Amino acid sequence: MGQHEDIKRIGLLTSGGDCAGLNAALRAVVHRADSYGWEVVGIPRATQGLMARPPEYVEFDVSSTHGLLRAGGTVLGTTNQGNPFAFPLPDGSTCDRSQEIIDGYHLLGLDALIGIGGDGSMAILRRLAQQGGLNLVGIPKTIDNDLGCTERSIGFDTAVNIATEALDRLHFTAASHSRVMILEVMGRDAGHIALNAGIAGGADIVLIPEISYSIDNICQTIKGLKRNFATIIVAEAVCTEAGEKIVQTNRLGQSRLGGIGEHLADQITEKIGAETRVTVLGHVQRGGTPSPLDRVLATTFGVEAVDLIAAGKYDHMVSWQNRQVVHVPIAEAIAEYQAVSPGDALVKTARGMGICLGDTACHEVHVPIHPDATVLASA
Ligand code: F6P
């Protein structure tokens, strides 16, 4: 008798910031679970559905997955607030509500839980699973692509497509007005969106938090261009030259990353008199229709996650490595933050294309992508 003979009902939740491709993963889970004869229930609003009494759930079967493949957001809802181990209360204090979630899992009669999330959500879900003996399998999602042990997470490709399209559009208006156009993109502490979209969209300057920059290098690069306009893409977590993070604080005192684009624009105008404009792309990167690649990834991950449950392989996360889907311990995935490394292939590509990464002015840099590149070029 296989491991999966014990399984009858699995739960699925989406946790953390939304992104494109979450519903496609849900659809794949429902289809694959159906082939084992299992029921799938969706948990609304991440772990909060399990906290509710009675616990909240939505039943899914293959006939109810119509339209999910291409739908943006998450039909289950999500939250990136309210860590259950320090759940915020109206008076500003916090309390531990983890046991309510564990009880909710058992009240729903779940045999396993698939959690779709980024590094923060994976850490919380794993802690809950360990405390309550829950059978957890993870699916990685984050537009930031910063979760360890997987080359790709759901939502990243769509975000890069949207940022690339924005650069494409900015290129023409930059040229028309002879301006320096700055595009500020998301990515929290990692520069993957900026680097990928910067290469795809032909930016002149790409600034990411992993590589420090000087305003002088940026200005020299702009002045050295053989045209009178420039495009710059900057990740929201890039600091000022002095190393300060720029945040926007609302009237309630809540802060979030944002504003580095305007900061750079002022500095550039002041130093070289260039006319600058800033576009902050924001949540546009998270919304909308998933790209074909994100649909494929989400579908692959969904099928594999169900197969992991069938194999009794809990406390693991599905992962994309070397052109195939594999699985890794969740503990390893959350222990290894995936920032852009200085030796990253795309960093070399950007330098090889003469894109300024801020640490040196672009016309000074000529690093061949391949050691034989100069030989081939002169052959
Ligand atoms: O982690 C995903 C992400 O989109 C980051 O890139 C961004 O900084 C953050 O979430 C925004 O969060 P919120 O939706 O709370 O504004």
Side-chain angles (χ1 to χ4, degrees), residues 17-18 80-81 141-144 146 186-188 193 236 256-257 283 286:
D18 74 338
N80 58 5
Q81 314 282 317
K141 71 86 217 170
T142 161
I143 67 163
D144 304 345
D146 56 357
M186 282 186 167
R188 198 107 64 174
I193 297 176
E236 61 183 357
R256 58 177 61 99
L257 283 173
H283 292 78
R286 296 229 305 248

Side-chain angles (χ1 to χ4, degrees), residues 165-183:
E165 189 195 335
L167 270 181
D168 288 346
R169 290 172 185 273
L170 290 173
H171 177 92
F172 290 105
T173 177
S176 305
H177 285 267
S178 305
R179 284 174 173 161
V180 174
M181 288 298 202
I182 302 177
L183 178 66

Side-chain angles (χ1 to χ4, degrees), residues 244-261:
E244 285 156 11
K245 261 201 173 145
I246 301 195
V247 293
Q248 304 289 312
T249 306
N250 66 16
R251 273 193 247 141
L252 302 172
Q254 299 159 328
S255 299
R256 58 177 61 99
L257 283 173
I260 184 64

